[in-house]
Amino acid sequence: MNETRGGADALTPHSMVVLRDRPVVALSPALAEALAECGPRVLQIVTSPASRLTIPLRALAGTPKATWVVAPGDGYYEGLTGRPMRWDGTAFTHVPDATDYAPTYKTRPSAPLGSHLTLTFQARPAENPGAQIEHLLHLITGHPPLGWGPTEPLKHPWNGPDLPRAPHLILTGKNAIATLNFSGETETTTLVVAYPPSTRPPITDLPPLIDALTTKTPITALMAQLSPGRPDLTTEPRWSGAASPIGLAAAGARTGPPGFTRQRLGPPSAPLTWFPLGDGRSPDYWHRHHQLLTHLNNPTHT
């Protein structure tokens, strides 16, 4: 195996494998370096069933660039889906004839689950890259960001929204974590706010919150969803329940399919239309999300 700066444990033409046997695995500088060195390969992060991923690393493991592989001792499985995997000599791949989830994936989480409220929105890059998320965190948590950095743990305390326009940044707040991705003329922000089991997320407050956000930050699209999750904002390699849609906002004065309600938000100069999809309690409403997207993407409805 060729030595790599990111500390790969195995390197093949199809994969770069790194072993991480620790309670919490984060998007560390070493993993970021390994990802940068992967090239066309997929980064495969192998942990034990006792390990948990942070939100930024979990997001990465849900893309084609990286895979979370769990080794319970009697085989392998994908940490985010529970699908059994095997080593084929060049990479961990899904077992083609598997008919069930890995047994460990079906065991109960090790701690009580609360809720994760996830807001993903797109906007044109602001003059100060951190201004949008600073405003949103104030609105939803009542507190400013705590720190920021390109990798974890975050090295920089929050001193205002004047951040470098790096391709990828991570911010933390009170019971919250956000990722910022800059690509061309688009800034995509994903904010995850954790609530303990005894606290109901402020779902009914989302329309006025989004309206307040757009007074300073014109946005082009926003998606809100709710999912079961640990209050410490980490993810176990176990089934914890499906995400459920809450609502979707689209720029402009838009109409939805028959049966969809809508609410106009934002200033007249940058209107936004909010479509409620569900209360976050049932994943069955994803079919409404698909129906709405199909309608909005039809040029005859713009």
Side-chain angles (χ1 to χ4, degrees):
M1 191 203 88
N2 295 326
E3 185 176 352
T4 63
R5 294 189 302 274
D9 294 285
L11 188 66
T12 77
H14 298 108
S15 69
M16 178 185 288
V17 179
V18 294
L19 308 180
R20 291 292 184 270
D21 186 13
R22 59 189 63 174
V24 177
V25 184
L27 184 54
S28 64
L31 282 180
E33 184 71 37
L35 182 66
E37 291 183 290
C38 271
R41 305 176 181 89
V42 61
L43 177 64
Q44 300 197 304
I45 306 161
V46 183
T47 76
S48 77
S51 296
R52 310 189 308 274
L53 299 194
T54 62
I55 291 289
L57 188 55
R58 183 196 188 284
L60 176 64
T63 71
K65 298 178 180 178
T67 306
W68 182 14
V69 181
V70 181
D74 56 355
Y76 304 95
Y77 69 94
E78 188 175 13
L80 295 183
T81 68
R83 296 176 63 184
M85 304 188 79
R86 65 184 180 186
W87 177 254
D88 68 3
T90 61
F92 289 100
T93 59
H94 293 119
V95 177
D97 55 350
T99 59
D100 198 3
Y101 300 111
T104 304
Y105 183 74
K106 297 187 291 183
T107 59
R108 294 177 62 86
S110 62
L113 299 180
S115 301
H116 287 178
L117 174 63
T118 301
L119 303 178
T120 302
F121 67 91
Q122 294 182 336
R124 293 187 178 277
E127 182 178 350
N128 296 321
Q132 297 166 340
I133 189 61
E134 181 181 48
H135 188 202
L136 182 57
L137 277 170
H138 267 296
L139 289 170
I140 200 167
T141 70
H143 299 272
L146 299 175
W148 66 275
T151 57
E152 302 173 287
L154 307 185
K155 294 184 178 180
H156 307 287
W158 186 259
N159 291 315
D162 190 16
L163 303 179
R165 199 174 297 280
H168 177 84
L169 290 176
I170 304 167
L171 289 89
T172 56
K174 182 177 174 59
N175 302 320
I177 191 164
T179 56
L180 280 67
N181 292 281
F182 303 94
S183 176
E185 294 300 314
T186 301
E187 178 179 332
T188 302
T189 301
T190 299
L191 170 65
V192 183
V193 184
Y195 297 89
S198 59
T199 302
R200 179 67 177 163
I203 293 176
T204 57
D205 295 337
L206 284 181
L209 182 150
I210 296 168
D211 186 59
L213 175 67
T214 58
T215 60
K216 292 185 178 181
T217 306
I219 62 178
T220 57
L222 183 144
M223 177 64 193
Q225 57 185 300
L226 193 68
S227 59
R230 290 174 58 102
D232 64 4
L233 288 167
T234 62
T235 298
E236 294 185 62
R238 292 170 176 78
W239 170 247
S240 59
S244 301
I246 297 172
L248 182 149
R254 311 293 290 270
T255 61
F260 279 71
T261 61
R262 66 185 188 273
Q263 183 177 352
R264 298 290 165 79
L265 304 175
S269 59
L272 197 69
T273 305
W274 168 256
F275 296 94
L277 297 173
D279 59 5
R281 296 178 181 271
S282 173
D284 293 340
Y285 287 109
W286 282 114
H287 76 277
R288 287 174 53 82
H289 176 260
H290 176 74
Q291 185 181 359
L292 177 60
L293 283 182
T294 300
H295 177 91
L296 294 176
N297 290 331
N298 188 330
T300 63
H301 296 143
T302 57

